[in-house]
Amino acid sequence: MIRSDGKETQSEPPMSWREGYIAVDWGSTNRRAYSVDAEGRVVAKLEDAKGVLAVGPGGFDRAAAEIREALGDRAVLIAGMAGSNRGWREAAYVDCPADAQALAQAICWIEAGRVGIVPGVCQRGPGADVMRGEEVQALGAVAAGLVPGDGLICHPGTHAKWIAMRGGRIDAFRTMMTGELFAVLRDHSILSAQLSGDVGPDEAFAAGVADALGGADLLASLFGIRARHLLGGGRSDAGYASGLLIGSDVRTALAGRAPGETVALVGAPALCALYSAALGQAGTVGKVIDGEAAFLAGIRRITEFL
């Protein structure tokens, strides 16, 4: 057997995934690991801030060993940024359309049959895009009956993901730099002074969403925040800017889709509340689903093909 550092080790027999396993959601800043028994129940959990960016060069073997020390010597399946070019080992993307079986067949094995990394999903060509981690939640949400096999799932965040499901598979997706753009505008732009304060689904936010849904030019509307300030305008501009960005996000994502459909939202409650409000203004229902339950169902579905 070849270790992650390229050295030979003594081969160990593959563990049975039917007897239980450890599911790890290993992101850039945090990691969450769950010990799952043969019936699919979580019997122990580890959560800390030891995300990919906190693990030094050559430190992933030890970081993974810590998980087993805490949760037991079981087979381990990892999703998220641990499979990126900044993680433990890069796991090649699976092309859309993708389902759980395709992900299982493309697992990047650190230890054959014992420790593996779930690949991300990509789409090539003019609409080139990539994701890692959200694919497990999307497929798990369908497997757990949290969302229908045909529909739209949104993961609000720094890079919001809009995933179109068809026949229970990830058919296509689009990433929007909505959260990152708001952070850059708030912290590093000429608008910084006008974008302080908390944002909620209030009147100012709704005004920004309405302008975006009505077709307002995003770039010109953002500069309008600066202009109103100079001319003595009195709007709560942080909320308005957020509404503009999220409204533009929603308008693009819903273009060409059937009116009134329900969009599943997976993410932090405050962000989901903003997206739900914007979707409501667009005549669509936003339904918040449990991201942890979706992740665990997705990993369990993948293990069925191992």
Side-chain angles (χ1 to χ4, degrees):
M1 182 180 300
I2 305 297
R3 294 193 333 190
S4 60
D5 58 8
K7 297 179 181 179
E8 294 280 350
T9 65
Q10 185 177 357
S11 179
E12 296 182 66
M15 294 183 171
S16 171
W17 298 91
R18 306 296 183 272
E19 297 173 1
Y21 52 85
I22 296 172
V24 185
D25 183 2
W26 206 332
S28 296
T29 56
N30 299 288
R31 66 176 178 178
R32 299 175 180 86
Y34 309 84
S35 178
V36 181
D37 68 13
E39 283 71 46
R41 298 172 300 195
V42 174
V43 294
K45 179 179 177 179
L46 168 69
E47 182 174 356
D48 59 27
K50 202 163 188 176
V52 164
L53 300 181
V55 180
F60 281 98
D61 286 316
R62 180 58 202 154
E66 292 171 354
I67 295 174
R68 273 192 170 148
E69 289 169 3
L71 300 181
D73 187 22
R74 286 179 161 175
V76 180
L77 199 55
I78 303 165
M81 294 305 290
S84 71
N85 58 5
R86 305 176 74 176
W88 192 355
R89 184 185 295 176
E90 190 168 5
Y93 293 106
V94 170
D95 289 271
C96 281
D99 58 16
Q101 184 173 9
L103 295 183
Q105 292 172 344
I107 284 174
C108 174
W109 291 106
I110 302 296
E111 298 178 41
R114 294 172 60 86
V115 181
I117 300 177
V118 178
V121 173
C122 74
Q123 54 190 28
R124 305 178 191 275
D129 212 331
V130 295
M131 66 177 166
R132 289 194 187 276
E134 295 91 352
E135 72 286 339
V136 174
Q137 290 182 314
L139 294 169
V142 173
L146 300 174
V147 301
D150 297 291
L152 191 60
I153 301 174
C154 174
H155 293 253
T158 302
H159 300 148
K161 302 285 186 185
W162 293 84
I163 305 171
M165 305 297 294
R166 180 176 294 178
R169 301 190 301 174
I170 297 171
D171 187 60
F173 65 98
R174 178 174 286 182
T175 303
M176 313 285 194
M177 292 179 62
T178 316
E180 182 171 359
L181 182 53
F182 181 78
V184 170
L185 291 170
R186 181 191 59 206
D187 298 334
H188 303 291
S189 80
I190 196 172
L191 301 179
S192 295
Q194 284 78 59
L195 301 187
S196 60
D198 297 330
V199 174
D202 55 15
E203 183 177 345
F205 176 82
V209 172
D211 284 354
L213 295 178
D217 184 279
L218 175 62
L219 300 181
S221 297
L222 287 170
F223 188 78
I225 293 172
R226 172 69 173 169
R228 281 193 302 275
H229 171 71
L230 294 174
L231 298 174
R235 176 177 282 162
S236 174
D237 290 319
Y240 178 75
S242 178
L244 271 176
L245 291 169
I246 292 177
S248 296
D249 190 340
V250 167
R251 184 183 69 188
T252 300
L254 296 183
R257 298 193 67 88
E261 75 172 305
T262 296
V263 176
L265 296 168
V266 186
L271 263 180
C272 285
L274 293 176
Y275 272 77
S276 181
L279 287 166
Q281 284 185 241
T284 300
V285 177
K287 174 187 176 184
V288 180
I289 65 172
D290 187 332
E292 182 175 289
F295 170 76
L296 290 168
I299 291 291
R300 186 166 184 82
R301 180 64 175 151
I302 292 169
T303 66
E304 293 174 1
F305 296 101
L306 298 180

